[in-house]
Every structure is written in structure tokens, then in C-alpha cells.
Amino acid sequence: MSSSKHSSELRRLALSVLQPGFVGTEAPDWVLRDIGDGLASVVLFSRNIVSTEQVARLTAQLRAENPDLIVAIDEEAGDVTRIESATGSSRPGNFALGTVDDPGLTEAVAADLGRQLRAAGVSLDYAPSADVNSNPDNPIIGVRSFGSDPEVVARHTTAWIRGLQSSGVAACAKHFPGHGDVAVDSHHDLPAYTAGRDEIAAQALPPFRAAVAAGVRAVMSGHLLVPAHDPELPATLSRRILHDLLREELGFDGLVVSDAIEMGAVTRRYGIDGATVKAVGAGVDAICVGGESAEEATVALLVKALTAAVTGGELPEERLAGAAGRVREFARWSAGLRASGAAGKAAGDGIGHVAARRAVRLTGAARAALPLTAAPHVVELAPVTNMAIGKETPWGVAEPLRERLPGTTSVRVRGQELEEGTVALESCALEPAAGRPLVIVARDAARHAWMSRAVTGLTTARPDAIVVEMGLPGAGAAAAAQIFTHGASAASGVAAAEALTQAPAL
């Protein structure tokens, strides 16, 4: 083979193992050109989405270059939504589904989501999160997990995969080998999961074993250090974890996808190009990139790094070719899955809202205080969310409550405002609520000291206040009337508003 022909083939192999994002609601010329040159996948984010119909036009434009193109999306439903980022998800997230603990309901919600994604032309969903949220202070997983019990998480991981794939969209279990017992956000730095091998096998691996048994054909690696299996390299860059543990011990033979390769957990030490080369060398088949770095130049940089690593002897060509082969195999399988998926439109206002209602829990004091008959003042305590949650995605209870009780007023308060003294709870929360019901909406109050203090201060001043917790339930405000939604999706906000305005069922 001539050197120019070999160089062209290497470039094609390198392109085929990338899953890049891009900016815009139409495909840029460079993406179409790269698909023609061998790019086998793209990933969509909220910036690419206006409506299901628009995404369908976009994916048709992309697939005109390659009918088997893998079109991926990071759509978990609940707090992490792309397809409904502008409105908030019409379906609750994993923690709400795990709280209900009805696998049939989880399967129905995932199938409903799958029908919407399939109608948009999506073929791979980076979901479900199969992480067991065993550390309540975890800043990155939380309500994205089905819960803290490995058996519950395994049960619902199975149901989610079955439901999604019944609609013709491939599932992807993440973040292997389990991101639930960490205290650092991997978007920014490298977290460590320091448990021993036996504890990892009992706590973190059961949902991934269940995912493999359920027929999942894609697994996403996590950017975390797991010293019991590899004391030096994060999972995404570790052959011991991706090959020895995932492939050999768990028997997974499908597509290994990296978590976003531009995340600080791997780039701070190796750079985006170095991390990409190390990930493919360790056993990653497809590199997810472009949540943040979505330019043509990034793809060119990674292609150059991969081809240079092969020609320089750092990356065996057979490993790159093997990864490309797995991508081709997955693309053919997912195209067949898409063609055979159950037809029909997403239920929209149906099963997602049913599930959100079923996840609502009320304390006895809340039951005694409801329903509200006068328009309340709503104070929403807003944390800084992790990067997986779109800043543009609406959440809360005030808007759906205003629809049911006209005259409802509201304020949204951030911790920084309280700490800087630019906002005072007395003037923005208590004074407007004088002579009216007060509803306090929190989101992971137990994880945020400022929020916990605010809830305590407000309920001390107004013992009749009702607290709606839309994150993980904590021990705070025990004497107050409380409603738990187990997630902050739009569907969960509507369910909370319904609970506030309807007489509780006996």
C-alpha cells in the first residue's frame, strides 16, 4: 500500500471512532464532508434542537451522506434532557422511577422516550445511568441514579434498556464501572472510587451485569480513578478496567463509548488529544467529544493525534482498526434496531406525567395542610447545577402552580445572592407571603449548606410553610410539611403543583 493510500485509510479509521458534536440546527458543511470521509457517528445536544420535526430533518440531512450513521444524544429524561431542554422533560428521571419501583412503569416511560427519539432520527441514547448513588454528597449523579440499592438500580436499568430498545433506539449503560460513590465532579477534576474489589463487585457492578444480560450493546466509561483495579489511570484510559473487567469478567462484547473526552478529569493531565489516544489504546471504541469542544478544528486535532500515534508506534494500528470495526458493527445493528422498533408517537402528556405523580410523597403534616385554596408565594432556592444539567432547562413549581392558582407570586433565590447580601429572605420571601400560604422549593437542600439554612430559617419564621424538595430527600425541616418529587423535571413540577392544589388521597 502506498504511503498516501495508507495515510488516507488511517484518517478514515480515525474519523470512524469519533462521535463529535457540532453547533447549529442544520448540519455544517464540515460535518457532511467528514461523514463522506468516514465519520460514522455524531452526537446531538440541546443547541441542535428546536423540535422533534426539526431534528428529524437534521438527521435526514446527515444520513443522506451515510444511511447507517450513528446519531447519538445524551437524553436521560428527568433533570438531564436535550430533546426537551427548552421546556423541561415531560418524563421524570431515574430517581423518581426507582422510588416508585415498578419496572413495568420504567419500561413504559423509556419506550415512550424511545418513540420520540426514533421519530427524530436518533439511533443511540447515552442512557440509562446505571450508577448506584451510594454517596448522598455525590455532586454529579444524585437523582440521575435509580437509587442507592444495587438491586433496585439493576432492576430498573434492565427495564429502561428493554423499553428504549423496544422503540428502536439503542441504549448505553453509563458510567462504567460506576460513578455513584464519588465526591468530585468529573467535568472539572478526577474523582476516585476507593472501595475494594469485593465492595465494587457488590455495590457498583450489579447494574452493569444486568445491562449486559438485558442486551445493551453500548457501555459508556466513566472518568474516575478506581485504585482497586488500576491505581494510575482513570477508567476511560485503563485497559485493566475496560478490557479485563468489562470485557473479560462481565463478558461485554459491544461498543465502548467514552464519556465526553474534553472533561477535566482526563484533559487536565493528558490534554484532549492525549486522552483520546490513551482511551482508544485502552479499549474505547468511540470517543464522545463536542459537548464543549464542537469545532471542526477539534475533530481535525483528534484525527491528527490518532494517526500520528499509529505511525509513531504509540497506538497499534490493529487496535484502531478493531475499534472502527466495532463501530461499523454497532452501526449496522442499530440501523436494524431502528428499522424494527415499535412504531407510534410518544405519549407526551401521558405516561411521563403518570409516573411523576406516582413518585410524589407527602409527609403527614403536608397532608393535613393541603389543598391550598389561596394563591401562595413561592420561594425557589436554586443551586448551581452540574454541567450535565442544561442551564436553559426550566424547573420548579411556581409556573405550574400559577396556572392552577392565579395570583401565585414567586421569587428565585441563589446562594451567592444570600452570601453577598444582595438578597434578603425577609424582604423577598417572608414579607410577600404575609397573610398568604408560603411554599418553599428546594433542590438537594441536604447537599447545600446555604439552602439548608434558608429552609430552616423560613420554616422557623413560618411553621405553616410547605417545603417541596425536588432533589434527594434529606433530614432537614423535619417538623415542616414536606412534599418530595424525587427529581426536578417539568413533569415533577406539575405533579408537585397538583399535590399542592388537590386534596390528598387517603
Side-chain angles (χ1 to χ4, degrees):
M1 185 184 293
S2 69
S3 61
S4 62
K5 189 174 181 181
H6 185 237
S7 176
S8 175
E9 178 58 24
L10 275 184
R11 181 174 187 275
R12 195 168 188 86
L13 289 176
L15 273 171
S16 73
V17 303
L18 301 180
Q19 294 192 337
F22 56 89
V23 176
T25 55
E26 295 183 359
D29 289 343
W30 70 265
V31 171
L32 298 175
R33 191 166 56 247
D34 280 352
I35 293 171
D37 289 346
L39 184 69
S41 315
V42 296
V43 57
L44 303 181
F45 294 93
S46 55
R47 62 181 175 229
N48 305 117
I49 295 166
V50 175
S51 66
T52 300
E53 294 73 22
Q54 168 265 325
V55 179
R57 290 192 297 273
L58 170 60
T59 55
Q61 181 190 15
L62 292 163
R63 287 209 176 93
E65 305 296 323
N66 174 9
D68 285 351
L69 183 76
I70 300 165
V71 178
I73 195 169
D74 184 22
E75 174 59 54
E76 299 176 15
D79 290 30
V80 179
T81 180
R82 312 300 175 214
I83 201 74
E84 296 183 295
S85 65
T87 58
S89 179
S90 57
R91 305 167 185 93
N94 285 0
F95 187 53
L97 294 172
T99 297
V100 178
D101 199 11
D102 177 352
L105 180 68
T106 296
E107 186 169 340
V109 170
D112 183 56
L113 173 62
R115 286 189 290 273
Q116 183 178 10
L117 295 180
R118 180 171 175 254
V122 171
S123 55
L124 169 62
D125 186 8
Y126 295 150
S129 167
D131 306 294
V132 179
N133 196 58
S134 44
N135 181 353
D137 289 328
N138 190 322
I140 185 65
I141 302 300
V143 295
R144 300 168 66 192
S145 167
F146 290 111
S148 58
D149 182 333
E151 290 187 13
V152 171
V153 177
R155 189 156 60 235
H156 290 276
T157 294
T158 296
W160 177 279
I161 290 166
R162 285 179 177 161
L164 191 74
Q165 296 192 164
S166 73
S167 296
V169 178
C172 177
K174 63 185 184 185
H175 307 78
F176 188 81
H179 215 305
D181 195 9
V182 302
V184 171
D185 183 345
S186 51
H187 288 95
H188 306 298
D189 211 338
L190 181 63
Y193 179 21
T194 56
R197 287 196 178 205
D198 289 347
E199 185 180 344
I200 292 169
Q203 179 190 67
L205 295 185
F208 291 98
R209 292 187 187 277
V212 173
V216 81
R217 297 285 287 270
V219 168
M220 178 176 280
S221 64
H223 298 330
L224 68 160
L225 195 68
V226 189
H229 287 278
D230 191 328
E232 297 176 4
L233 294 168
T236 297
L237 313 182
S238 170
R239 180 173 169 80
R240 295 182 189 178
I241 291 173
L242 298 183
H243 180 270
D244 299 356
L245 181 59
L246 179 58
R247 294 221 183 273
E248 295 295 323
E249 187 174 325
L250 268 65
F252 178 68
D253 63 357
L255 186 75
V256 176
V257 183
S258 77
D259 203 349
I261 204 67
E262 63 261 55
M263 288 165 63
V266 291
T267 58
R268 281 167 68 100
R269 183 170 177 184
Y270 302 103
I272 191 171
D273 48 351
T276 295
V277 170
K278 286 186 175 295
V280 174
V284 169
D285 304 307
I287 300 290
C288 171
V289 63
E292 302 300 310
S293 305
E295 309 81 21
E296 179 182 6
T298 299
V299 173
L301 172 68
L302 299 189
V303 168
K304 181 179 179 181
L306 288 166
T307 55
V310 171
T311 56
E314 181 184 355
L315 176 66
E317 185 172 343
E318 55 268 29
R319 168 78 276 265
L320 182 61
R326 274 214 170 86
V327 171
R328 284 194 303 274
E329 181 185 354
F330 180 87
R332 286 193 296 270
W333 172 78
S334 65
L337 183 71
R338 195 169 73 251
S340 64
K345 291 185 177 180
D349 195 40
I351 192 66
H353 284 87
V354 169
R357 290 182 195 110
R358 288 184 61 186
V360 170
R361 300 289 184 269
L362 282 68
T363 62
R367 289 181 177 276
L370 297 177
L372 297 181
T373 54
H377 182 59
V378 181
V379 181
E380 294 178 335
L381 303 172
V384 175
T385 55
N386 63 65
M387 288 177 66
I389 299 170
K391 286 183 169 48
E392 75 283 355
T393 304
W395 68 278
V397 177
E399 284 304 315
L401 197 52
R402 193 172 286 116
E403 293 174 9
R404 288 156 178 80
L405 288 174
T408 295
T409 56
S410 65
V411 63
R412 185 161 284 188
V413 180
R414 292 165 179 81
Q416 185 177 358
E417 296 169 330
L418 292 179
E419 289 163 4
E420 293 174 347
T422 55
V423 167
L425 290 177
E426 179 69 31
S427 58
C428 77
L430 294 174
E431 289 176 8
R436 306 166 58 192
L438 175 62
V439 176
I440 305 160
V441 182
R443 194 172 181 181
D444 283 330
R447 278 195 52 243
H448 301 284
W450 73 267
M451 193 182 299
S452 182
R453 287 194 299 271
V455 171
T456 299
L458 289 171
T459 53
T460 299
R462 283 287 301 268
D464 62 330
I466 298 172
V467 179
V468 180
E469 173 58 79
M470 303 192 79
L472 292 175
Q482 289 181 281
I483 297 173
F484 302 98
T485 62
H486 305 97
S489 71
S492 298
V494 169
E498 290 175 345
L500 285 162
T501 56
Q502 297 172 4
L506 298 176

